[in-house]
Amino acid sequence: GQDPTLFTVTYHATQQDADDLMNALVSPYTNISNPQQIFVAITNNDTGCSISTPSFNVEVQEAAEANSDMEVIVYEICDDEMDDDNDPTNNSAQFDLATQNDL
């Protein structure tokens, strides 16, 4: 919900680099361990103040296959009112992927 023009977000391989705002990772990035913890620095562009406590893990599962049998997957739910009624509060549709587990 924040205005992205007010903040700069950078990603780092170490907590120290995030704290020091040094050696930001570039995109595309290839992780060096699996899983790998990535550290985030968020800087306020007006004040220069930053926070570097958030982090997340990147894990690559190379054997994972979303559609291993190559059968066509048909699962569609549409919001028929989207963009036709000028009401942005109903521009979404909800669905539960668990309903597809046994198919």
Side-chain angles (χ1 to χ4, degrees):
Q2 299 287 341
D3 181 349
T5 63
L6 298 179
F7 300 92
T8 299
V9 178
T10 54
Y11 303 94
H12 305 266
T14 68
Q15 180 67 61
Q16 189 64 53
D17 282 351
D19 292 343
D20 295 340
L21 299 175
M22 299 290 294
N23 303 315
L25 302 176
V26 295
S27 181
Y29 175 73
T30 301
N31 54 315
I32 56 176
S33 63
N34 197 21
Q36 180 182 1
Q37 187 173 14
I38 302 294
F39 300 89
V40 182
I42 303 168
T43 304
N44 182 308
N45 294 333
D46 289 335
T47 66
C49 294
S50 67
I51 183 170
S52 57
T53 54
S55 69
F56 61 91
N57 289 322
V58 172
E59 182 174 0
V60 177
Q61 297 184 6
E62 295 196 28
E65 295 182 21
N67 189 15
S68 61
D69 62 6
M70 299 306 288
E71 290 292 322
V72 175
I73 298 173
V74 178
Y75 185 56
E76 182 178 286
I77 294 178
C78 295
D79 175 11
D80 295 333
E81 302 298 322
M82 189 171 181
D83 297 328
D84 293 333
D85 63 356
N86 294 321
D87 180 2
T89 63
N90 68 1
N91 286 354
S92 65
Q94 292 186 356
F95 56 91
D96 180 2
L97 290 176
T99 62
Q100 303 297 296
N101 286 347
D102 295 329
L103 298 179

Coordinates of all heavy atoms in Angstrom, one line a residue:
G1 N 0.8 -1.2 0.0 CA 0.0 0.0 0.0 C 0.8 1.3 0.0 O 0.3 2.4 0.0
Q2 N 2.1 1.2 0.0 CA 3.0 2.3 0.0 C 3.2 2.8 -1.4 O 3.2 2.0 -2.3 CB 4.4 2.0 0.7 CG 4.3 1.6 2.1 CD 3.9 2.7 3.1 OE1 4.1 3.9 2.7 NE2 3.4 2.4 4.2
D3 N 3.5 4.1 -1.5 CA 3.8 4.7 -2.8 C 5.2 4.2 -3.2 O 6.2 4.5 -2.5 CB 3.8 6.2 -2.8 CG 4.1 6.9 -4.1 OD1 4.6 6.2 -5.0 OD2 3.8 8.1 -4.2
P4 N 5.4 3.4 -4.3 CA 6.7 2.9 -4.6 C 7.8 3.9 -5.0 O 9.0 3.7 -5.0 CB 6.5 1.9 -5.7 CG 5.2 2.3 -6.3 CD 4.4 3.0 -5.2
T5 N 7.3 5.1 -5.3 CA 8.3 6.2 -5.6 C 8.9 6.8 -4.4 O 9.9 7.5 -4.5 CB 7.6 7.3 -6.4 OG1 6.6 7.9 -5.6 CG2 7.0 6.8 -7.7
L6 N 8.4 6.5 -3.2 CA 8.9 7.0 -2.0 C 10.0 6.2 -1.3 O 10.7 6.6 -0.4 CB 7.8 7.2 -0.9 CG 6.7 8.2 -1.3 CD1 5.6 8.2 -0.2 CD2 7.2 9.6 -1.6
F7 N 10.1 4.9 -1.8 CA 11.1 4.0 -1.2 C 11.9 3.3 -2.3 O 11.4 3.0 -3.4 CB 10.3 2.9 -0.4 CG 9.5 3.5 0.7 CD1 8.2 3.9 0.5 CD2 10.1 3.7 2.0 CE1 7.4 4.4 1.5 CE2 9.3 4.3 3.0 CZ 8.0 4.7 2.8
T8 N 13.1 2.9 -1.9 CA 13.9 2.0 -2.7 C 14.1 0.7 -2.0 O 14.5 0.7 -0.8 CB 15.3 2.7 -3.0 OG1 15.1 3.9 -3.7 CG2 16.2 1.8 -3.8
V9 N 13.9 -0.4 -2.6 CA 14.0 -1.7 -2.0 C 15.2 -2.4 -2.7 O 15.3 -2.4 -4.0 CB 12.7 -2.5 -2.2 CG1 12.9 -3.9 -1.6 CG2 11.6 -1.8 -1.6
T10 N 16.1 -2.9 -1.9 CA 17.3 -3.6 -2.5 C 17.4 -5.0 -1.8 O 16.9 -5.1 -0.6 CB 18.6 -2.8 -2.3 OG1 18.8 -2.5 -0.9 CG2 18.6 -1.6 -3.2
Y11 N 18.0 -5.9 -2.4 CA 18.2 -7.3 -1.9 C 19.7 -7.6 -1.8 O 20.4 -7.2 -2.7 CB 17.5 -8.3 -2.8 CG 16.0 -7.9 -3.0 CD1 15.6 -7.1 -4.1 CD2 15.1 -8.3 -2.1 CE1 14.3 -6.8 -4.3 CE2 13.7 -8.0 -2.2 CZ 13.3 -7.2 -3.3 OH 12.0 -6.9 -3.5
H12 N 20.0 -8.3 -0.7 CA 21.4 -8.5 -0.4 C 21.7 -10.0 0.0 O 20.8 -10.6 0.6 CB 21.9 -7.6 0.7 CG 21.6 -6.1 0.4 ND1 22.5 -5.3 -0.2 CD2 20.5 -5.4 0.5 CE1 22.0 -4.1 -0.4 NE2 20.7 -4.1 0.0
A13 N 22.9 -10.4 -0.2 CA 23.3 -11.8 0.2 C 23.6 -12.0 1.7 O 23.5 -13.1 2.2 CB 24.5 -12.3 -0.6
T14 N 23.9 -10.8 2.4 CA 24.2 -10.9 3.8 C 23.5 -9.8 4.5 O 23.1 -8.8 4.0 CB 25.7 -10.8 4.1 OG1 26.1 -9.4 3.7 CG2 26.6 -11.8 3.3
Q15 N 23.3 -10.1 5.8 CA 22.7 -9.0 6.7 C 23.5 -7.8 6.7 O 23.0 -6.7 6.7 CB 22.4 -9.6 8.1 CG 21.7 -8.6 9.0 CD 20.3 -8.3 8.6 OE1 19.5 -9.2 8.5 NE2 20.0 -7.0 8.3
Q16 N 24.8 -8.0 6.8 CA 25.8 -6.8 6.9 C 25.6 -6.0 5.6 O 25.6 -4.7 5.7 CB 27.2 -7.3 7.1 CG 28.1 -6.2 7.4 CD 27.8 -5.5 8.7 OE1 27.7 -6.1 9.8 NE2 27.6 -4.2 8.7
D17 N 25.6 -6.6 4.5 CA 25.4 -5.8 3.2 C 24.1 -5.0 3.2 O 24.1 -3.9 2.8 CB 25.5 -6.7 2.0 CG 26.9 -7.1 1.6 OD1 27.9 -6.6 2.2 OD2 27.1 -8.0 0.8
A18 N 23.1 -5.7 3.7 CA 21.8 -5.0 3.8 C 21.8 -3.8 4.7 O 21.4 -2.7 4.5 CB 20.7 -5.9 4.2
D19 N 22.5 -4.0 5.9 CA 22.6 -2.9 6.9 C 23.4 -1.8 6.3 O 23.1 -0.6 6.6 CB 23.3 -3.4 8.1 CG 22.5 -4.4 8.9 OD1 21.3 -4.5 8.7 OD2 23.1 -5.2 9.8
D20 N 24.5 -2.1 5.5 CA 25.4 -1.1 5.0 C 24.9 -0.5 3.6 O 25.6 0.3 3.1 CB 26.8 -1.6 4.8 CG 27.4 -2.0 6.2 OD1 27.0 -1.5 7.2 OD2 28.4 -2.8 6.2
L21 N 23.8 -1.1 3.1 CA 23.3 -0.8 1.7 C 24.4 -0.9 0.7 O 24.6 -0.1 -0.2 CB 22.8 0.7 1.7 CG 21.6 0.9 2.6 CD1 21.2 2.4 2.6 CD2 20.4 0.1 2.3
M22 N 25.1 -2.0 0.8 CA 26.2 -2.3 -0.1 C 26.0 -3.6 -0.9 O 25.3 -4.5 -0.4 CB 27.6 -2.5 0.7 CG 28.0 -1.3 1.5 SD 28.5 0.1 0.4 CE 30.0 -0.6 -0.3
N23 N 26.6 -3.8 -2.1 CA 26.6 -5.0 -2.8 C 25.1 -5.5 -3.1 O 24.9 -6.7 -2.9 CB 27.4 -6.1 -2.2 CG 28.8 -5.6 -1.9 OD1 29.4 -5.1 -2.8 ND2 29.3 -5.9 -0.7
A24 N 24.3 -4.7 -3.5 CA 22.9 -5.1 -3.8 C 22.9 -6.2 -4.9 O 23.7 -6.1 -5.9 CB 22.0 -3.9 -4.3
L25 N 22.1 -7.2 -4.8 CA 22.0 -8.2 -5.8 C 21.3 -7.6 -7.1 O 20.5 -6.7 -7.0 CB 21.1 -9.4 -5.3 CG 21.7 -10.0 -4.0 CD1 20.7 -11.1 -3.5 CD2 23.0 -10.6 -4.3
V26 N 21.7 -8.1 -8.2 CA 21.1 -7.7 -9.5 C 20.2 -8.7 -10.1 O 20.2 -9.9 -9.7 CB 22.2 -7.4 -10.5 CG1 23.1 -6.2 -10.0 CG2 23.1 -8.6 -10.8
S27 N 19.3 -8.3 -10.9 CA 18.3 -9.1 -11.6 C 18.7 -9.3 -13.0 O 19.1 -8.4 -13.7 CB 16.9 -8.5 -11.5 OG 16.0 -9.3 -12.0
P28 N 18.7 -10.5 -13.5 CA 18.3 -11.8 -12.9 C 19.4 -12.2 -11.9 O 20.6 -11.9 -12.1 CB 18.1 -12.7 -14.0 CG 19.0 -12.2 -15.1 CD 19.0 -10.7 -14.9
Y29 N 19.0 -13.0 -10.9 CA 19.9 -13.4 -9.8 C 19.9 -14.9 -9.8 O 18.9 -15.6 -9.9 CB 19.5 -12.9 -8.5 CG 20.3 -13.4 -7.3 CD1 21.6 -13.0 -7.2 CD2 19.8 -14.4 -6.5 CE1 22.4 -13.5 -6.2 CE2 20.6 -14.9 -5.4 CZ 21.9 -14.4 -5.3 OH 22.7 -14.9 -4.3
T30 N 21.1 -15.5 -9.7 CA 21.2 -17.0 -9.5 C 21.6 -17.2 -8.1 O 22.7 -16.8 -7.7 CB 22.2 -17.6 -10.5 OG1 21.8 -17.3 -11.8 CG2 22.3 -19.1 -10.3
N31 N 20.8 -18.0 -7.3 CA 21.2 -18.2 -5.9 C 22.5 -19.0 -5.8 O 22.8 -19.8 -6.7 CB 20.0 -18.8 -5.2 CG 19.5 -20.1 -5.8 OD1 19.3 -20.1 -7.0 ND2 19.3 -21.1 -5.0
I32 N 23.2 -18.8 -4.7 CA 24.5 -19.5 -4.6 C 24.4 -20.7 -3.6 O 25.4 -21.4 -3.4 CB 25.6 -18.5 -4.1 CG1 25.2 -17.8 -2.8 CG2 25.9 -17.5 -5.2 CD1 26.2 -16.9 -2.2
S33 N 23.3 -20.8 -2.9 CA 23.0 -22.0 -2.1 C 21.6 -22.3 -2.2 O 20.8 -21.5 -2.7 CB 23.5 -21.8 -0.6 OG 22.7 -20.8 -0.1
N34 N 21.2 -23.5 -1.8 CA 19.8 -23.9 -1.9 C 19.3 -24.6 -0.7 O 19.7 -25.7 -0.5 CB 19.6 -24.7 -3.2 CG 18.2 -24.8 -3.6 OD1 17.4 -24.0 -3.3 ND2 17.9 -25.8 -4.4
P35 N 18.5 -24.0 0.2 CA 17.9 -22.7 0.0 C 18.9 -21.6 0.4 O 20.0 -21.9 1.0 CB 16.8 -22.7 1.0 CG 17.2 -23.7 2.1 CD 18.0 -24.7 1.4
Q36 N 18.6 -20.4 0.0 CA 19.5 -19.2 0.4 C 18.6 -18.1 1.0 O 17.6 -17.8 0.5 CB 20.1 -18.7 -0.9 CG 21.0 -17.5 -0.6 CD 21.7 -16.9 -1.8 OE1 21.5 -17.3 -2.9 NE2 22.5 -15.9 -1.6
Q37 N 19.1 -17.6 2.1 CA 18.4 -16.5 2.7 C 18.8 -15.2 2.0 O 20.0 -15.0 1.8 CB 18.8 -16.4 4.2 CG 17.9 -15.4 5.0 CD 18.2 -15.4 6.5 OE1 19.1 -16.1 7.0 NE2 17.3 -14.8 7.2
I38 N 17.9 -14.4 1.7 CA 18.1 -13.1 1.0 C 17.6 -12.0 2.0 O 16.5 -12.1 2.6 CB 17.3 -13.0 -0.3 CG1 17.7 -14.1 -1.3 CG2 17.5 -11.6 -0.9 CD1 19.1 -14.0 -1.8
F39 N 18.4 -11.0 2.2 CA 18.1 -9.9 3.1 C 17.7 -8.7 2.3 O 18.2 -8.4 1.2 CB 19.4 -9.6 3.9 CG 19.8 -10.8 4.7 CD1 20.7 -11.7 4.1 CD2 19.3 -11.0 6.0 CE1 21.1 -12.8 4.9 CE2 19.7 -12.1 6.7 CZ 20.6 -13.0 6.1
V40 N 16.7 -8.0 2.9 CA 16.0 -6.8 2.2 C 16.4 -5.5 3.0 O 16.4 -5.5 4.2 CB 14.5 -7.0 2.2 CG1 13.8 -5.9 1.5 CG2 14.1 -8.4 1.7
A41 N 16.7 -4.5 2.2 CA 16.8 -3.2 2.7 C 15.8 -2.3 2.1 O 15.7 -2.2 0.8 CB 18.2 -2.6 2.5
I42 N 15.1 -1.5 2.9 CA 14.0 -0.6 2.4 C 14.5 0.8 2.9 O 14.6 1.1 4.0 CB 12.7 -0.9 3.0 CG1 12.3 -2.4 2.6 CG2 11.6 0.0 2.4 CD1 11.1 -2.9 3.3
T43 N 14.7 1.7 1.9 CA 15.2 3.0 2.2 C 14.1 4.1 1.8 O 13.6 4.0 0.7 CB 16.5 3.3 1.4 OG1 17.4 2.3 1.7 CG2 17.0 4.7 1.7
N44 N 13.9 5.0 2.7 CA 13.0 6.1 2.4 C 13.8 7.1 1.6 O 14.8 7.6 2.0 CB 12.5 6.8 3.7 CG 11.6 7.9 3.5 OD1 11.8 8.8 2.8 ND2 10.4 7.8 4.2
N45 N 13.3 7.4 0.4 CA 14.0 8.3 -0.6 C 14.1 9.7 -0.1 O 15.0 10.4 -0.5 CB 13.4 8.2 -1.9 CG 13.5 6.8 -2.6 OD1 14.5 6.1 -2.3 ND2 12.6 6.5 -3.4
D46 N 13.1 10.1 0.7 CA 13.1 11.5 1.2 C 14.1 11.7 2.4 O 14.8 12.7 2.5 CB 11.7 12.0 1.7 CG 10.8 12.2 0.5 OD1 11.3 12.4 -0.6 OD2 9.6 12.0 0.7
T47 N 14.1 10.8 3.4 CA 14.8 11.0 4.6 C 16.2 10.2 4.5 O 17.1 10.6 5.3 CB 14.1 10.4 5.8 OG1 13.9 9.0 5.7 CG2 12.7 11.1 5.9
G48 N 16.3 9.2 3.7 CA 17.5 8.4 3.6 C 17.6 7.4 4.7 O 18.5 6.6 4.7
C49 N 16.6 7.3 5.6 CA 16.5 6.3 6.6 C 16.2 5.0 6.0 O 15.4 4.9 5.0 CB 15.5 6.7 7.7 SG 15.9 8.1 8.6
S50 N 16.8 3.9 6.5 CA 16.5 2.6 6.0 C 16.3 1.6 7.1 O 16.7 1.8 8.2 CB 17.6 2.1 5.1 OG 18.8 1.9 5.8
I51 N 15.6 0.5 6.7 CA 15.4 -0.6 7.6 C 15.9 -1.9 6.9 O 15.7 -2.0 5.7 CB 13.9 -0.8 8.1 CG1 13.8 -1.9 9.1 CG2 13.0 -0.9 6.9 CD1 12.4 -1.9 9.7
S52 N 16.6 -2.8 7.6 CA 17.1 -3.9 6.9 C 16.8 -5.2 7.7 O 17.6 -6.1 7.7 CB 18.6 -3.8 6.6 OG 19.3 -3.5 7.8
T53 N 15.7 -5.3 8.4 CA 15.4 -6.5 9.2 C 14.6 -7.6 8.4 O 14.7 -8.7 8.8 CB 14.6 -6.1 10.4 OG1 13.4 -5.4 10.0 CG2 15.4 -5.3 11.4
P54 N 13.9 -7.2 7.3 CA 13.2 -8.3 6.6 C 14.2 -9.2 5.8 O 15.2 -8.8 5.4 CB 12.3 -7.6 5.6 CG 12.4 -6.1 5.9 CD 13.6 -5.9 6.7
S55 N 13.8 -10.5 5.7 CA 14.5 -11.4 4.9 C 13.6 -12.5 4.4 O 12.4 -12.6 5.0 CB 15.7 -12.1 5.7 OG 15.2 -12.9 6.7
F56 N 14.0 -13.3 3.5 CA 13.2 -14.4 3.0 C 14.1 -15.4 2.4 O 15.3 -15.2 2.2 CB 12.2 -13.9 1.9 CG 12.8 -13.3 0.7 CD1 13.1 -14.1 -0.4 CD2 13.0 -12.0 0.6 CE1 13.6 -13.5 -1.6 CE2 13.6 -11.4 -0.5 CZ 13.9 -12.2 -1.6
N57 N 13.6 -16.6 2.2 CA 14.4 -17.7 1.6 C 14.1 -18.0 0.2 O 12.9 -18.0 -0.1 CB 14.3 -19.0 2.5 CG 14.9 -18.9 3.8 OD1 16.0 -18.3 3.9 ND2 14.3 -19.4 4.8
V58 N 15.1 -18.2 -0.6 CA 14.9 -18.7 -2.0 C 15.2 -20.1 -2.1 O 16.3 -20.5 -1.6 CB 15.7 -17.8 -3.0 CG1 15.7 -18.4 -4.4 CG2 15.3 -16.4 -3.0
E59 N 14.3 -20.9 -2.6 CA 14.6 -22.4 -2.7 C 14.2 -22.8 -4.1 O 13.0 -22.6 -4.5 CB 13.9 -23.2 -1.7 CG 14.2 -24.7 -1.8 CD 13.6 -25.5 -0.6 OE1 12.9 -24.9 0.2 OE2 13.8 -26.7 -0.6
V60 N 15.1 -23.4 -4.8 CA 14.8 -23.9 -6.2 C 14.6 -25.4 -6.1 O 15.5 -26.1 -5.6 CB 15.9 -23.6 -7.1 CG1 15.7 -24.1 -8.5 CG2 16.1 -22.0 -7.2
Q61 N 13.5 -25.9 -6.6 CA 13.2 -27.3 -6.7 C 13.2 -27.7 -8.1 O 12.2 -27.6 -8.8 CB 11.9 -27.7 -6.0 CG 12.0 -27.3 -4.5 CD 10.7 -27.8 -3.8 OE1 9.8 -28.4 -4.3 NE2 10.6 -27.4 -2.5
E62 N 14.3 -28.1 -8.6 CA 14.5 -28.4 -10.1 C 13.7 -29.5 -10.6 O 13.3 -29.6 -11.7 CB 16.0 -28.5 -10.4 CG 16.7 -27.3 -10.1 CD 18.1 -27.2 -10.8 OE1 18.2 -27.9 -11.8 OE2 19.0 -26.6 -10.3
A63 N 13.3 -30.5 -9.7 CA 12.6 -31.6 -10.2 C 11.1 -31.4 -10.2 O 10.3 -32.2 -10.7 CB 12.9 -32.9 -9.3
A64 N 10.6 -30.3 -9.7 CA 9.2 -30.0 -9.6 C 8.6 -29.7 -11.0 O 9.3 -29.1 -11.8 CB 9.0 -28.7 -8.7
E65 N 7.5 -30.3 -11.2 CA 6.8 -30.2 -12.5 C 5.4 -29.8 -12.3 O 4.6 -30.5 -11.6 CB 6.9 -31.5 -13.3 CG 8.2 -31.9 -13.7 CD 8.3 -33.2 -14.5 OE1 7.2 -33.6 -15.1 OE2 9.3 -33.8 -14.5
A66 N 5.0 -28.7 -12.8 CA 3.6 -28.2 -12.7 C 2.6 -29.0 -13.5 O 1.5 -29.2 -13.1 CB 3.5 -26.7 -13.1
N67 N 3.0 -29.5 -14.6 CA 2.1 -30.3 -15.5 C 2.9 -31.4 -16.2 O 3.1 -31.4 -17.4 CB 1.5 -29.3 -16.5 CG 0.4 -29.9 -17.3 OD1 -0.1 -31.0 -16.9 ND2 0.0 -29.3 -18.4
S68 N 3.3 -32.4 -15.4 CA 4.2 -33.4 -15.9 C 3.6 -34.3 -17.0 O 4.3 -34.8 -17.8 CB 4.7 -34.3 -14.7 OG 3.6 -34.9 -14.1
D69 N 2.3 -34.5 -17.0 CA 1.7 -35.4 -18.0 C 1.3 -34.6 -19.2 O 0.8 -35.2 -20.2 CB 0.5 -36.2 -17.4 CG -0.6 -35.3 -17.0 OD1 -0.6 -34.0 -17.2 OD2 -1.6 -35.8 -16.4
M70 N 1.5 -33.3 -19.2 CA 1.2 -32.4 -20.4 C -0.3 -32.5 -20.8 O -0.7 -32.0 -21.9 CB 2.1 -32.7 -21.6 CG 3.6 -32.5 -21.2 SD 3.9 -30.9 -20.6 CE 3.7 -29.9 -22.0
E71 N -1.2 -33.0 -19.9 CA -2.6 -32.9 -20.2 C -3.1 -31.5 -20.0 O -2.6 -30.8 -19.1 CB -3.4 -33.9 -19.3 CG -3.2 -35.3 -19.5 CD -3.8 -35.8 -20.9 OE1 -4.8 -35.3 -21.2 OE2 -3.1 -36.6 -21.5
V72 N -4.0 -31.1 -20.8 CA -4.5 -29.7 -20.7 C -5.2 -29.5 -19.4 O -6.0 -30.4 -19.0 CB -5.5 -29.4 -21.9 CG1 -6.2 -28.1 -21.7 CG2 -4.8 -29.6 -23.2
I73 N -4.9 -28.5 -18.7 CA -5.5 -28.1 -17.4 C -6.5 -27.1 -17.7 O -6.2 -26.0 -18.2 CB -4.4 -27.6 -16.4 CG1 -3.4 -28.7 -16.2 CG2 -5.1 -27.2 -15.1 CD1 -2.2 -28.2 -15.3
V74 N -7.8 -27.4 -17.4 CA -8.9 -26.5 -17.6 C -9.5 -26.2 -16.2 O -10.1 -27.0 -15.6 CB -9.9 -27.0 -18.5 CG1 -11.1 -26.0 -18.7 CG2 -9.3 -27.3 -19.9
Y75 N -9.2 -25.0 -15.7 CA -9.8 -24.5 -14.5 C -10.0 -23.0 -14.6 O -9.0 -22.3 -14.6 CB -9.0 -24.9 -13.3 CG -9.6 -24.5 -11.9 CD1 -10.9 -25.0 -11.6 CD2 -9.0 -23.7 -11.0 CE1 -11.4 -24.7 -10.4 CE2 -9.5 -23.4 -9.8 CZ -10.8 -23.9 -9.5 OH -11.4 -23.6 -8.3
E76 N -11.2 -22.6 -14.7 CA -11.5 -21.2 -15.1 C -12.6 -20.7 -14.2 O -13.7 -21.3 -14.1 CB -11.8 -21.1 -16.5 CG -12.1 -19.7 -17.0 CD -12.4 -19.6 -18.5 OE1 -11.4 -19.8 -19.3 OE2 -13.5 -19.4 -18.8
I77 N -12.3 -19.5 -13.6 CA -13.4 -18.8 -12.9 C -13.2 -17.3 -13.3 O -12.1 -16.8 -13.2 CB -13.2 -18.9 -11.3 CG1 -13.5 -20.3 -10.9 CG2 -14.2 -17.9 -10.7 CD1 -13.4 -20.6 -9.4
C78 N -14.2 -16.7 -13.8 CA -14.1 -15.4 -14.3 C -15.0 -14.4 -13.5 O -16.0 -14.8 -13.0 CB -14.6 -15.3 -15.8 SG -13.5 -16.2 -16.9
D79 N -14.6 -13.2 -13.5 CA -15.4 -12.1 -12.9 C -16.1 -11.4 -14.1 O -15.4 -10.6 -14.8 CB -14.5 -11.1 -12.1 CG -15.3 -9.9 -11.6 OD1 -16.5 -10.0 -11.7 OD2 -14.6 -9.0 -11.1
D80 N -17.3 -11.7 -14.3 CA -18.0 -11.2 -15.4 C -18.3 -9.7 -15.3 O -18.6 -9.1 -16.3 CB -19.3 -12.0 -15.6 CG -19.1 -13.4 -16.0 OD1 -18.0 -13.7 -16.6 OD2 -19.9 -14.3 -15.7
E81 N -18.2 -9.1 -14.1 CA -18.5 -7.7 -14.0 C -17.2 -6.8 -14.1 O -17.3 -5.6 -14.1 CB -19.1 -7.5 -12.6 CG -20.4 -8.2 -12.3 CD -21.5 -7.8 -13.3 OE1 -21.6 -6.7 -13.7 OE2 -22.2 -8.8 -13.7
M82 N -16.1 -7.4 -14.2 CA -14.8 -6.7 -14.3 C -14.8 -5.7 -15.4 O -15.0 -6.1 -16.6 CB -13.6 -7.6 -14.3 CG -12.3 -6.9 -14.2 SD -11.0 -8.2 -14.0 CE -9.6 -7.2 -13.8
D83 N -14.5 -4.5 -15.1 CA -14.3 -3.4 -16.1 C -15.6 -3.0 -16.8 O -15.5 -2.1 -17.7 CB -13.2 -3.7 -17.1 CG -11.9 -3.8 -16.4 OD1 -11.7 -3.1 -15.3 OD2 -11.1 -4.6 -16.8
D84 N -16.7 -3.7 -16.6 CA -17.9 -3.3 -17.3 C -18.9 -2.4 -16.5 O -19.8 -1.8 -17.1 CB -18.7 -4.6 -17.8 CG -17.9 -5.4 -18.8 OD1 -17.1 -4.8 -19.5 OD2 -18.1 -6.6 -18.9
D85 N -18.7 -2.4 -15.2 CA -19.6 -1.7 -14.4 C -19.0 -0.4 -13.7 O -19.7 0.2 -12.9 CB -20.3 -2.6 -13.4 CG -19.3 -3.2 -12.4 OD1 -18.1 -2.9 -12.6 OD2 -19.7 -3.9 -11.5
N86 N -17.8 -0.1 -14.0 CA -17.1 1.0 -13.4 C -17.0 1.0 -11.9 O -17.0 2.0 -11.2 CB -17.7 2.4 -13.9 CG -17.5 2.6 -15.4 OD1 -16.4 2.2 -15.9 ND2 -18.5 3.1 -16.1
D87 N -17.0 -0.2 -11.3 CA -17.0 -0.4 -9.9 C -15.7 -1.2 -9.6 O -15.7 -2.5 -9.7 CB -18.2 -1.1 -9.4 CG -18.2 -1.4 -7.9 OD1 -17.2 -0.9 -7.2 OD2 -19.1 -2.0 -7.4
P88 N -14.6 -0.6 -9.2 CA -13.3 -1.3 -8.9 C -13.4 -2.3 -7.7 O -12.5 -3.1 -7.6 CB -12.3 -0.2 -8.7 CG -13.1 1.0 -8.3 CD -14.5 0.8 -8.9
T89 N -14.4 -2.2 -6.9 CA -14.5 -3.0 -5.7 C -14.9 -4.5 -6.0 O -14.7 -5.3 -5.2 CB -15.5 -2.5 -4.7 OG1 -16.8 -2.5 -5.2 CG2 -15.1 -1.1 -4.2
N90 N -15.3 -4.7 -7.3 CA -15.7 -6.1 -7.6 C -14.9 -6.6 -8.8 O -15.3 -7.5 -9.5 CB -17.2 -6.2 -7.9 CG -17.6 -5.5 -9.2 OD1 -16.7 -4.9 -9.9 ND2 -18.9 -5.5 -9.6
N91 N -13.7 -6.1 -8.9 CA -12.8 -6.5 -10.0 C -11.9 -7.7 -9.6 O -10.7 -7.7 -9.9 CB -11.9 -5.4 -10.5 CG -12.7 -4.3 -11.3 OD1 -13.9 -4.5 -11.6 ND2 -12.1 -3.2 -11.6
S92 N -12.5 -8.7 -9.1 CA -11.7 -9.9 -8.7 C -12.7 -11.1 -8.7 O -13.9 -11.0 -8.6 CB -11.0 -9.7 -7.4 OG -12.0 -9.6 -6.3
A93 N -12.1 -12.3 -8.7 CA -12.8 -13.5 -8.5 C -12.0 -14.4 -7.6 O -10.7 -14.4 -7.6 CB -13.0 -14.2 -9.8
Q94 N -12.6 -15.1 -6.7 CA -11.9 -16.0 -5.7 C -12.1 -17.4 -6.1 O -13.1 -17.8 -6.6 CB -12.5 -15.8 -4.3 CG -12.1 -14.4 -3.7 CD -12.6 -14.3 -2.3 OE1 -13.2 -15.2 -1.7 NE2 -12.3 -13.2 -1.7
F95 N -11.1 -18.2 -5.9 CA -11.1 -19.7 -6.2 C -10.3 -20.4 -5.2 O -9.4 -19.9 -4.6 CB -10.7 -19.9 -7.6 CG -9.4 -19.4 -8.0 CD1 -8.2 -20.2 -7.8 CD2 -9.2 -18.1 -8.5 CE1 -7.0 -19.7 -8.2 CE2 -7.9 -17.6 -8.8 CZ -6.8 -18.5 -8.6
D96 N -10.5 -21.7 -5.1 CA -9.8 -22.6 -4.2 C -9.2 -23.7 -5.0 O -9.9 -24.6 -5.5 CB -10.8 -23.1 -3.2 CG -10.1 -24.1 -2.2 OD1 -8.9 -24.3 -2.2 OD2 -10.9 -24.6 -1.3
L97 N -7.8 -23.7 -5.1 CA -7.1 -24.7 -5.9 C -7.3 -26.1 -5.3 O -7.1 -27.1 -6.0 CB -5.7 -24.3 -6.1 CG -5.4 -23.1 -7.0 CD1 -3.9 -22.8 -7.0 CD2 -5.9 -23.4 -8.4
A98 N -7.6 -26.2 -4.0 CA -7.7 -27.5 -3.3 C -8.8 -28.3 -4.0 O -8.8 -29.5 -3.9 CB -8.0 -27.3 -1.8
T99 N -9.8 -27.6 -4.6 CA -10.9 -28.4 -5.3 C -10.4 -29.2 -6.5 O -11.1 -30.0 -7.0 CB -12.0 -27.4 -5.7 OG1 -11.4 -26.5 -6.7 CG2 -12.6 -26.6 -4.6
Q100 N -9.1 -28.9 -6.9 CA -8.6 -29.6 -8.0 C -7.6 -30.7 -7.7 O -7.1 -31.4 -8.5 CB -7.8 -28.6 -8.9 CG -8.7 -27.5 -9.4 CD -9.8 -28.0 -10.3 OE1 -9.6 -28.5 -11.4 NE2 -11.1 -27.8 -9.9
N101 N -7.4 -30.9 -6.4 CA -6.4 -31.9 -5.9 C -6.7 -33.4 -6.4 O -5.7 -34.1 -6.7 CB -6.3 -31.9 -4.4 CG -5.6 -30.7 -3.9 OD1 -5.0 -30.0 -4.6 ND2 -5.7 -30.5 -2.6
D102 N -7.9 -33.8 -6.4 CA -8.2 -35.2 -6.8 C -8.5 -35.4 -8.2 O -8.9 -36.5 -8.6 CB -9.4 -35.7 -5.9 CG -9.0 -35.7 -4.4 OD1 -7.8 -36.0 -4.1 OD2 -9.9 -35.5 -3.6
L103 N -8.3 -34.4 -9.1 CA -8.7 -34.6 -10.5 C -7.5 -35.2 -11.2 O -6.4 -35.2 -10.9 CB -9.0 -33.2 -11.1 CG -10.2 -32.6 -10.5 CD1 -10.4 -31.2 -11.2 CD2 -11.5 -33.4 -10.6

